[in-house]
């Protein structure tokens, strides 16, 4: 069995058992590329929203080819968009899906056999291009383009956190600007976000991004949502009295520069189908008195209610790069998830099971 209950496959081939598989963060810092992370569910019987993850992964590859190929390729300088490659009439969704599913078909049966019984596994799929290999190919076709990419599959034991337990909520702080190429999920972000960690206050579990200190975009690892009252006159009404017409769920639109998270889209679908008011607009800190609930999402934790949010009193202070120089304003929410958050979480689990 692999050490540390981790497994790493390259193009379907297991890293030698004698070697210690690296943490997933090390893998992502070592190899450029587009990636996605999800996990198993129901004692390893299912992979959560796998087709959605494959679609987002192939879209990330296309985005990086067109805009920042240096985030996708190893093996030399690559500072201009690879228009010739991205313009090819490849069915990119099929190319990337075939590559990753071929590796997954070889890796997953082994991992499920070797894991501890009842243990869920986190799964990270990284697609990394080889620039030198690409330069050697004169006439690209779908068969040859597959040889340009390597697929890394990283598996690790994962224990899902219980939803709704006091103290299990997210504690957030806004500390930096939105990221480049936000509509693609790429490994270099693991390195780029390290500077933000210097501004993480104690006990904060996730860092949020904003370009102006008011409109909140997303987290470093999550999408961010608030449940906002529509009517300012209802400021003192208890949350339990909210009805379907008195609030709306808000999250920043993709056009503002946020990652098109898989669970983000699941929540949009849930709100649309369940008549829950929803608007794609960046939640504004200046309107925080209207916020009655907040939650974050990603593909491992799915949904976490928010307990508290910190925002710098002066947005200019985040440029100081020194945590001690920042003073904070705070927004606290009720203990435990609110009614709307709980409804959405329940619907997510229903979709996961189906």
């Amino acid at each position: 069995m692999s050490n540390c209950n981790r497994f790493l496959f390259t193009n379907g081939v297991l890293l030698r058992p004698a070697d210690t598989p690296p943490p997933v963060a090390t893998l992502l810092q070592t190899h450029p590329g587009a990636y996605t992370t999800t996990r198993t569910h129901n004692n390893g019987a299912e992979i959560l929203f796998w087709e959605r993850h494959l679609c987002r992964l192939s879209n990330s590859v296309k985005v990086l080819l067109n805009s920042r190929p240096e985030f996708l390729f190893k093996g030399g300088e690559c500072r201009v968009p690879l228009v010739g490659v991205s313009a090819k009439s490849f069915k990119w969704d099929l190319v990337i899906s075939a590559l990753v599913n071929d590796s997954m078909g070889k890796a997953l049966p082994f991992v499920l056999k070797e894991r501890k019984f009842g243990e869920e596994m986190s799964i990270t799929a990284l697609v990394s291009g080889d620039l030198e290999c690409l330069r050697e190919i004169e006439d690209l076709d779908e068969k040859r383009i597959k040889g340009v990419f390597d697929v890394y599959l990283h598996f690790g034991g994962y224990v899902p956190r219980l939803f709704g337990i006091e103290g299990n909520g997210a504690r957030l702080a806004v500390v930096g600007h939105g990221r480049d190429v936000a509509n693609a999920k790429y490994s270099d972000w693991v390195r780029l976000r390290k500077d933000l960690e210097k501004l993480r206050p104690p006990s904060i579990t996730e860092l949020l991004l904003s370009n102006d200190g008011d409109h909140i975009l997303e987290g470093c690892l999550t999408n961010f949502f608030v449940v906002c009252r529509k009517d300012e006159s209802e400021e003192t009404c208890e949350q339990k009295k909210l009805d379907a017409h008195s609030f709306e769920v808000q999250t920043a639109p993709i056009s503002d520069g946020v990652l098109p998270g898989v669970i983000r889209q699941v929540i949009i679908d849930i709100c649309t189908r369940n008549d829950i008011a929803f608007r794609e607009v960046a939640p504004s800190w200046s309107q925080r008195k209207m916020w009655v609930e907040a939650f974050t999402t990603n593909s491992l934790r799915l949904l976490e209610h928010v307990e508290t949010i910190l925002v710098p009193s002066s947005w200019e202070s985040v440029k100081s790069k020194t945590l001690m120089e920042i003073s904070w304003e705070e927004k606290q929410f009720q203990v435990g998830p609110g009614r709307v958050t709980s409804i959405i979480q329940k619907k997510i689990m229903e979709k996961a099971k189906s």
Side-chain angles (χ1 to χ4, degrees):
M1 185 169 180
S2 199
N3 292 325
C4 305
N5 206 27
R6 294 194 296 258
F7 308 86
L8 177 62
F9 292 79
T10 304
N11 299 325
V13 178
L14 177 69
L15 183 74
R16 292 178 56 189
D19 297 328
T20 301
V24 67
T26 301
L27 171 69
L28 295 177
Q29 290 180 73
T30 305
H31 300 282
Y35 79 100
T36 193
T37 296
T38 184
R39 64 175 171 88
T40 62
H41 176 64
N42 193 19
N43 192 23
E46 301 138 8
I47 302 177
L48 286 176
F49 306 112
W50 181 237
E51 292 302 321
R52 292 177 184 248
H53 280 278
L54 286 178
C55 183
R56 204 260 306 272
L57 182 59
S58 63
N59 186 67
S60 293
V61 170
K62 289 185 287 185
V63 168
L64 295 177
L65 279 170
N66 280 306
S67 58
R68 299 295 293 273
E70 69 271 22
F71 288 163
L72 182 63
F73 285 93
K74 57 189 174 184
E77 291 292 323
C78 186
R79 297 295 179 185
V80 295
L82 297 178
V83 178
V85 177
S86 60
K88 291 284 187 178
S89 59
F90 302 142
K91 296 179 179 178
W92 284 102
D93 291 350
L94 297 180
V95 170
I96 300 302
S97 294
L99 278 170
V100 177
N101 277 331
D102 180 66
S103 291
M104 183 66 80
K106 298 171 182 175
L108 189 59
F110 175 87
V111 171
L112 293 180
K113 181 181 177 182
E114 293 294 319
R115 72 188 173 120
K116 298 176 182 177
F117 179 77
E119 181 181 47
E120 303 295 354
M121 305 296 294
S122 64
I123 304 171
T124 295
L126 170 69
V127 176
S128 181
D130 188 320
L131 191 59
E132 293 305 318
C133 182
L134 177 63
R135 287 169 174 164
E136 293 175 0
I137 301 175
E138 294 183 1
D139 186 21
L140 285 174
D141 56 27
E142 290 190 14
K143 183 177 181 180
R144 290 189 178 96
I145 197 65
K146 290 180 180 179
V148 171
F149 295 102
D150 291 314
V151 175
Y152 299 89
L153 291 177
H154 187 284
F155 298 83
Y158 185 77
V159 180
R161 297 181 70 177
L162 294 176
F163 175 78
I165 303 300
E166 184 176 347
N168 260 10
R171 297 179 295 279
L172 315 177
V174 178
V175 297
H177 291 266
R179 59 196 181 93
D180 291 337
V181 204
N183 57 340
K185 194 173 180 72
Y186 54 92
S187 60
D188 209 43
W189 175 238
V190 176
R191 177 184 61 82
L192 294 173
R193 68 175 185 247
K194 280 187 173 181
D195 283 342
L196 300 178
E197 291 294 331
K198 300 174 184 177
L199 302 180
R200 181 190 291 268
S203 80
I204 292 299
T205 60
E206 168 67 318
L207 303 177
L208 297 177
L209 307 175
S210 172
N211 288 330
D212 58 10
D214 182 45
H215 297 90
I216 300 178
L217 301 175
E218 61 180 342
C220 286
L221 299 171
T222 61
N223 286 112
F224 173 71
F225 297 76
V226 300
V227 180
C228 184
R229 283 192 309 274
K230 291 181 179 179
D231 188 348
E232 206 165 331
S233 66
E234 298 178 13
E235 184 175 331
T236 60
C237 82
E238 295 180 9
Q239 185 183 0
K240 65 182 180 180
K241 295 180 180 178
L242 289 174
D243 59 40
H245 303 289
S246 65
F247 68 88
E248 66 180 10
V249 178
Q250 298 179 353
T251 195
I254 300 300
S255 58
D256 277 4
V258 302
L259 180 73
V262 169
I263 306 302
R264 177 187 183 276
Q265 185 58 50
V266 169
I267 288 175
I268 293 175
D269 296 344
I270 286 171
C271 290
T272 300
R273 294 177 183 178
N274 292 274
D275 197 27
I276 298 173
F278 182 88
R279 187 157 62 107
E280 290 189 82
V281 60
S284 172
W285 180 247
S286 61
Q287 299 295 313
R288 61 189 178 279
K289 288 184 179 180
M290 306 286 285
W291 299 356
V292 292
E293 302 173 27
F295 57 89
T296 61
T297 62
N298 69 16
S299 291
L300 287 181
R301 297 181 179 180
L302 299 186
L303 183 150
E304 275 192 314
H305 72 279
V306 172
E307 294 181 353
T308 185
I309 303 175
L310 299 179
V311 171
S313 301
S314 168
W315 185 234
E316 291 299 314
S317 66
V318 301
K319 298 178 181 179
S320 68
K321 305 297 183 184
T322 304
L323 178 60
M324 297 299 294
E325 297 179 60
I326 301 176
S327 60
W328 303 91
E329 297 177 352
E330 184 176 11
K331 168 74 175 181
Q332 290 186 333
F333 296 90
Q334 68 176 48
V335 176
R339 185 171 67 88
V340 178
T341 300
S342 297
I343 290 172
I344 292 175
Q345 194 273 344
K346 180 180 178 181
K347 295 295 182 182
I348 291 176
M349 296 312 298
E350 290 175 356
K351 286 184 73 70
K353 292 176 182 177
S354 65

